Amino acid sequence: VLALKIMLHNELNTQGISKAELARRLGTSPASIGQSLDLHRTNTNIDSLFRIFATIGIKCDILLEVH
């Protein structure tokens, strides 16, 4: 989850999207976005992160391999 949050931070910076703009696009509050992207929070719902990726135009898939 931490790696996904770091990728989101980087992509938001690259695209020039603020937390306020992202919140507007998602129909939520900037505080909620701040909580979702907080690198120190470990209880972030992965579906929330996928929704943020989709909102900024990035498809996110995770592949798990068990050996």
Side-chain angles (χ1 to χ4, degrees), residues 31-59:
S32 175
I33 296 298
Q35 290 175 352
S36 292
L37 297 179
D38 185 337
L39 299 178
H40 301 288
R41 288 182 68 122
T42 58
N43 63 341
T44 303
N45 183 321
I46 199 163
D47 290 330
S48 298
L49 298 179
F50 282 6
R51 186 168 168 233
I52 294 170
F53 272 113
T55 299
I56 62 174
I58 296 174
K59 183 175 185 260

Side-chain angles (χ1 to χ4, degrees), residues 14-32:
T14 297
Q15 292 189 28
I17 300 172
S18 67
K19 288 179 184 172
E21 172 59 19
L22 183 59
R24 186 192 66 74
R25 292 182 189 186
L26 288 165
T28 190
S29 69
S32 175

